[in-house]
Amino acid sequence: FGLVASHDIDPLGRSSEPGIQEEEDSFAFEDVFAFQGTQEPLFVKKGIYQEVKAHNMTTYPWSFDSNKYDGLMCNGVLIYVDDPNCLEEFVRVTKPGGVCVIMFRHDGYPDYEAKDMALRAAGKWELIHKSPDMRNFDTVEYDSDQDVWFNQWVFRVLETSA
């Protein structure tokens, strides 16, 4: 089972971000569920996801069973979420040994860093990969202070959640 939280759910169920496709292609799930990080309208093409629902990521617990998903991908969402405690829910719904692939923008990760480090220190997950720095919109010209950079972080969940 796979769970996808996405700001932009494209017709192929893949990231619209450049450079991410290679990492996503290495994950194959039998059943894929998607949820939108906010209550905004969803854009989904028929047949890509088994189920799609709107969900506020700061309403706990999420409406997903504990230890259910082999993998979770969160792309382009956390910059709009003001609560680092949502990382606990990523751990809760992912099976031990499963992976959480999370996009952190450089200007957003500092808000999540303490929670990430606490989860690592508690042995709840471990960082197994961090992509090179990537530009969010390669074709747009920005002043250096407006440019948007990000990384894809891949965490392995280490413990069973209650």
Side-chain angles (χ1 to χ4, degrees):
F1 288 98
L3 178 67
V4 178
S6 183
H7 183 67
D8 292 315
I9 303 174
D10 85 352
L12 297 176
R14 297 179 179 196
S15 169
S16 58
E17 305 298 338
I20 303 307
Q21 193 57 54
E22 301 80 31
E23 289 184 35
E24 289 179 1
D25 284 342
S26 67
F27 297 102
F29 301 112
E30 181 179 308
D31 296 306
V32 178
F33 298 84
F35 72 96
Q36 182 83 12
T38 67
Q39 296 296 331
E40 297 170 2
L42 297 168
F43 171 76
V44 176
K45 293 290 185 181
K46 186 177 179 180
I48 300 300
Y49 299 108
Q50 187 173 1
E51 179 184 350
V52 178
K53 61 173 104 173
H55 180 75
N56 180 336
M57 290 179 64
T58 61
T59 299
Y60 307 118
W62 292 350
S63 60
F64 304 102
D65 292 338
S66 296
N67 310 305
K68 179 169 181 151
Y69 297 101
D70 298 305
L72 182 146
M73 174 136 193
C74 181
N75 194 56
V77 175
L78 293 185
I79 199 69
Y80 304 105
V81 177
D82 295 333
D83 188 359
N85 290 318
C86 70
L87 298 182
E88 292 270 3
E89 287 296 284
F90 291 145
V91 171
R92 184 185 66 78
V93 302
T94 304
K95 293 177 184 176
V99 295
C100 298
V101 181
I102 302 174
M103 174 192 167
F104 285 112
R105 283 179 30 173
H106 289 193
D107 60 342
Y109 179 71
D111 295 338
Y112 289 86
E113 185 173 14
K115 178 55 82 174
D116 169 24
M117 293 302 176
L119 290 169
R120 291 191 220 182
K124 293 186 176 190
W125 71 6
E126 65 181 344
L127 181 66
I128 59 174
H129 175 75
K130 180 181 172 187
S131 72
D133 292 348
M134 293 181 265
R135 237 180 125 217
N136 211 17
F137 304 104
D138 279 338
T139 60
V140 177
E141 293 297 324
Y142 291 105
D143 294 330
S144 63
D145 64 331
Q146 295 176 321
D147 212 349
V148 178
W149 290 85
F150 70 96
N151 303 93
Q152 289 286 354
W153 301 58
V154 182
F155 299 93
R156 178 178 294 117
V157 173
L158 300 174
E159 73 171 30
T160 300
S161 297

